[in-house]
Amino acid sequence: MEGRDPTMKITKPEELQQHPEYKEVLVELLFQLADDDFILSYRGSEWLGLAPHIEEDIAFSSINQDTMGHAAMYYQLLEDIGIGKADDLAHQRPSSERRNAVLLEEVNGPGHYLSEPRYDWAFAVVRHYFYTQAKKVRIDSLKHSSYEPLAQVAVKINMELYYHLMHWRTWFIQLTNAQGEARERMKKAVAKVFEDFGGVLTLGVKGDRMVEFGLIESEKILKQRWVQAMKPVFAEVNLDLPSEFGMKRGNGRNGEHTADLDEAIMTLSEVYRLDPLATW
Amino acid sequence: MPVVTSFRWLSEEEKYERFMERINAGEKIEADDWMPEDYRMTLIKLIAMHGISEIMGALPEKEWVPKAPSLRRKLGIMAKVQDEMGHGQLLLRVAEDLMAPLGKTREEIMQDLFKGDLKFHNVFHMPAPTWADAGLIGWLVDGAAIITQTNMLDASYGPYARALKRICAEEVFHAQHGESIILALAEGTKEQKEMLQDALNRWWEALLMFFGPGSAATTGTSKQDITIKYRIRTKTNEQLRQDFFTKYVPRILSIGLKLPDETMHFDESKGKWVYKQPDWNRFKEIIRNNGPKSKERLRLRELSYHNNAWVREALSGQSAAV
């Protein structure tokens, strides 16, 4: 066992060779961060051309690009550590090796992105908003991570998150405060998202070690901050904020996933798999 | 000064005369200026079609956005298609201003699209079955678009000319994005090269059609004459097609691709490219929404429109309450 030194900082990937346990836990955290952004950005990209209006199509697409860019930065950190090439990590790993929250892999709604999509905008708004707030809490904590290359990435990501959060909060409040069908749809979407939201907030089985190594703050603290941030918004839309969140369809941090993820991986790697060794 | 204040007292003929003086002097017409009915209607049709084509144009590439084969390509194509939607939005805003005096809005543009009254570019009715098609669209379809749009950069209608300046600047990036995909395939494995040649074969006829028929005699109608008279554009369809050949034929050959037209050559004596005419009857069918993918793509657009009706309702209720 390595001793815990709260002031310890790792500044370069090469230093990890002396800290095998630290490295193992760091890799776990980086996969969670990378896989979360990667799969949600993929789901967002399926919405292309289908958003409620053209202006939103442009804004949403811009957010998806940023999010894919964040995933690429995390995969690059993994590549720098020697885990594998970023593109291979993103495209090649089977669902059992993925660490994203199950909520983020769920399909956008009935239908396929090219044929008869009946996507649910209420679900899109709630999932993106709640996730983005959780991401903001996480990024704020990662800015002080003991792994300095990660802390630097967190500072970069944080700048873009401000706009994402504002975007989704605006949609959430507007639609939930609208009367009639919109409010009903939003309430249903909130209930649906909460069923699996516990999976977004957890750090998985290695969570305690992540905290010990000063990589990120504890699950409990992060969750409290999320609740604190959401409280005034829930008051504004006159909805109850639960204190516990479910993991109805499993804990993605442990590699538990649904068929939705398998299908997504098949699609997003379709061209890559034609020849993983070729230059594309 | 008196000229300005008395303009409203002029007869329609005099107003038209003044208008043509401005056009011939190379002045820009702005949204609130007086303009003849056929100028306004021609612009609405042209710009709405251009705008809606940008939006429908996102659909063939949409297929390849989630499937792009690397993180870098995923980011590139996401940005590219987002730009296209952005162009669509920009152009629809220009069209909306022109339609406002007629009491019409974007709602009518969408309804006209669904009814088949508003056409979109022939190229966006075509299938894009491989990753090479995604690259080819960026390289040659956007390349062709740069040529037609550059032709209108000095359009007499100011708001359109200004929108086109922005659009052309971005289209140059798109063509580079497409070219980068194409070059990777052209320098790649045998399968990648075949995929690329197949895509070129598939798109060739549609690319020739993109510039429109040589004259009204070919298809029965053409907007060429009126758009040239009002200085919205300068070159004819055929001149633009020739420009495209001059720019792209050498590039196509230089990366080891074969032209799908064996008769094609440059006639030195006439200073023109000689090529096999596309099937213009087929062109007419395609733009009447009878192309291979017309119905499917309109269906996607229409479905999302209806599927999200509740969102638009919620937003309009909101603004009414404020």
Side-chain angles (χ1 to χ4, degrees):
Chain A
M1 281 273 286
E2 288 167 76
R4 178 187 164 209
D5 173 6
T7 61
M8 185 179 91
K9 293 270 178 198
I10 303 271
T11 53
K12 285 196 223 58
E14 300 81 64
E15 296 167 34
L16 291 170
Q17 284 178 355
Q18 275 101 60
H19 306 281
E21 236 190 300
Y22 179 100
K23 180 178 168 183
E24 191 194 320
V25 174
L26 168 66
V27 166
E28 190 68 22
L29 176 62
L30 289 175
F31 271 129
Q32 291 182 13
L33 298 167
D35 290 346
D36 270 4
D37 277 345
F38 184 65
I39 199 66
L40 191 63
S41 170
Y42 166 81
R43 285 297 175 211
S45 74
E46 288 185 311
W47 266 99
L48 192 63
L50 305 173
H53 48 63
I54 294 158
E55 283 75 6
E56 176 56 23
D57 230 311
I58 299 163
F60 193 8
S61 171
S62 172
I63 289 173
N64 291 326
Q65 267 174 71
D66 288 347
T67 308
M68 184 59 76
H70 303 165
M73 286 191 253
Y74 293 129
Y75 285 128
Q76 187 59 47
L77 289 177
L78 285 156
E79 180 173 327
D80 296 343
I81 296 173
I83 303 302
K85 278 176 61 188
D87 280 327
D88 297 339
L89 298 176
H91 293 89
Q92 213 168 37
R93 291 155 53 240
S95 63
S96 58
E97 287 178 25
R98 305 252 169 181
R99 292 290 178 264
N100 63 275
V102 169
L103 175 69
L104 310 180
E105 74 202 34
E106 180 160 352
V107 292
N108 292 311
H112 180 266
Y113 79 102
L114 296 171
S115 164
E116 298 297 303
R118 285 182 170 77
Y119 287 176
D120 179 358
W121 186 245
F123 178 55
V125 168
V126 176
R127 169 161 70 174
H128 275 86
Y129 177 40
F130 290 11
Y131 170 72
T132 306
Q133 183 61 61
K135 182 170 166 179
K136 169 70 179 155
V137 166
R138 211 155 61 175
I139 285 288
D140 281 339
S141 184
L142 289 172
K143 282 191 279 185
H144 310 288
S145 178
S146 62
Y147 188 59
E148 282 186 359
L150 176 57
Q152 284 158 13
V153 161
V155 170
K156 277 189 218 156
I157 291 177
N158 188 50
M159 288 189 273
E160 290 174 340
L161 267 188
Y162 175 80
Y163 297 99
H164 299 185
L165 202 50
M166 189 163 72
H167 182 86
W168 294 119
R169 190 197 297 121
T170 305
W171 269 112
F172 180 75
I173 292 173
Q174 248 184 2
L175 291 181
T176 314
N177 273 344
Q179 290 311 309
E181 192 184 348
R183 183 166 175 86
E184 285 314 306
R185 282 175 180 263
M186 291 300 283
K187 278 163 74 176
K188 254 173 81 179
V190 168
K192 177 174 160 178
V193 167
F194 276 144
E195 282 181 353
D196 278 302
F197 200 64
V200 172
L201 296 172
T202 181
L203 293 170
V205 285
K206 292 182 181 149
D208 291 344
R209 303 290 288 153
M210 290 174 193
V211 179
E212 248 177 77
F213 286 129
L215 284 163
I216 190 167
E217 286 163 289
S218 77
E219 203 173 298
K220 198 173 150 210
I221 292 175
L222 299 179
K223 184 177 154 190
Q224 274 170 2
R225 286 192 194 136
W226 188 86
V227 170
Q228 276 316 107
M230 295 305 269
K231 257 187 191 162
V233 177
F234 269 69
E236 195 177 338
V237 299
N238 194 25
L239 285 183
D240 292 328
L241 183 60
S243 55
E244 288 308 316
F245 313 107
M247 264 195 262
K248 196 182 164 195
R249 280 163 305 165
N251 187 346
R253 309 293 187 218
N254 299 341
E256 294 166 18
H257 293 287
T258 63
D260 287 356
L261 183 59
D262 294 315
E263 270 172 54
I265 294 170
M266 289 307 277
T267 304
L268 65 88
S269 65
E270 188 186 300
V271 182
Y272 167 88
R273 277 183 292 112
L274 290 178
D275 190 345
L277 297 176
T279 302
W280 290 98
Chain B
M1 282 303 122
V3 178
V4 177
T5 47
S6 64
F7 184 82
R8 55 192 292 219
W9 304 111
L10 296 177
S11 70
E12 287 295 300
E13 289 79 25
E14 285 165 326
K15 282 179 184 172
Y16 185 78
E17 231 168 80
R18 290 284 167 84
F19 175 83
M20 285 312 291
E21 277 167 25
R22 291 184 65 194
I23 292 280
N24 292 327
E27 273 182 51
K28 293 284 181 240
I29 308 300
E30 297 300 330
D32 294 333
D33 294 351
W34 184 91
M35 59 184 83
E37 200 58 16
D38 61 345
Y39 182 75
R40 182 184 299 278
M41 297 318 281
T42 301
L43 283 171
I44 290 175
K45 206 170 168 189
L46 175 75
I47 300 168
M49 185 211 168
H50 185 180
I52 220 68
S53 293
E54 297 271 4
I55 288 162
M56 294 304 288
L59 298 180
E61 282 179 290
K62 170 189 164 70
E63 177 167 3
W64 298 102
V65 171
K67 295 179 180 176
S70 70
L71 289 162
R72 194 166 70 96
R73 294 285 184 225
K74 278 185 163 71
L75 285 167
I77 195 166
M78 278 169 130
K80 196 261 180 183
V81 182
Q82 183 204 0
D83 282 352
E84 305 291 9
M85 295 296 289
H87 299 168
Q89 193 253 355
L90 192 65
L91 291 163
L92 289 190
R93 300 279 310 159
V94 175
E96 280 164 13
D97 285 345
L98 282 163
M99 291 164 74
L102 310 175
K104 290 187 172 176
T105 65
R106 192 187 295 183
E107 177 66 23
E108 272 88 6
I109 296 183
M110 299 314 285
Q111 293 307 329
D112 284 351
L113 171 72
F114 299 148
K115 277 185 292 185
D117 292 345
L118 176 61
K119 313 267 185 255
F120 58 101
H121 270 308
N122 72 294
V123 280
F124 303 125
H125 296 256
M126 305 311 285
T130 72
W131 171 245
D133 294 72
L136 205 103
I137 291 172
W139 187 37
L140 294 183
V141 174
D142 285 50
I146 291 171
I147 288 174
T148 57
Q149 288 165 13
T150 307
N151 181 40
M152 296 188 286
L153 274 181
D154 198 30
S156 57
Y157 188 58
Y160 189 42
R162 289 191 292 273
L164 286 174
K165 274 197 188 78
R166 265 183 65 177
I167 292 173
C168 278
E170 291 187 345
E171 296 288 0
V172 172
F173 281 111
H174 297 175
Q176 286 167 359
H177 148 91
E179 196 171 32
S180 161
I181 295 174
I182 293 304
L183 287 177
L185 297 175
E187 289 161 12
T189 65
K190 184 167 156 282
E191 287 76 17
Q192 286 176 312
K193 286 176 186 159
E194 282 169 8
M195 186 192 266
L196 180 56
Q197 182 68 54
D198 285 348
L200 179 65
N201 298 350
R202 205 164 21 246
W203 282 88
W204 186 251
E205 189 179 44
L207 283 165
L208 302 196
M209 289 172 174
F210 181 83
F211 299 94
S215 71
T218 319
T219 53
T221 59
S222 170
K223 293 189 296 283
Q224 289 189 80
D225 299 342
I226 192 160
T227 49
I228 290 174
K229 173 177 102 178
Y230 284 133
R231 294 210 176 183
I232 296 168
R233 63 189 286 183
T234 48
K235 292 185 182 176
T236 65
N237 291 348
E238 188 53 36
Q239 284 170 327
L240 295 171
R241 197 167 13 244
Q242 291 286 329
D243 288 350
F244 176 78
F245 293 143
T246 301
K247 182 168 175 186
Y248 284 101
V249 167
R251 296 189 190 190
I252 289 169
L253 297 175
S254 76
I255 61 171
L257 288 167
K258 285 199 190 75
L259 290 173
D261 175 0
E262 282 172 11
T263 66
M264 183 144 196
H265 62 277
F266 189 75
D267 185 330
E268 297 284 350
S269 63
K270 292 190 186 129
K272 269 168 68 170
W273 291 93
V274 179
Y275 60 98
K276 187 167 158 259
Q277 285 293 318
D279 180 350
W280 290 109
N281 286 323
R282 199 168 121 81
F283 172 77
K284 274 193 280 184
E285 278 307 302
I286 291 170
I287 58 169
R288 273 184 205 139
N289 294 336
N290 292 321
K293 289 279 180 180
S294 316
K295 303 275 188 292
E296 205 176 293
R297 296 203 179 123
L298 278 167
R299 170 79 186 147
L300 267 184
R301 197 75 233 154
E302 204 169 4
L303 189 63
S304 83
Y305 192 76
H306 293 307
N307 197 35
N308 291 317
W310 69 271
V311 181
R312 288 192 304 277
E313 258 165 49
L315 295 182
S316 63
Q318 200 94 10
S319 56
V322 171

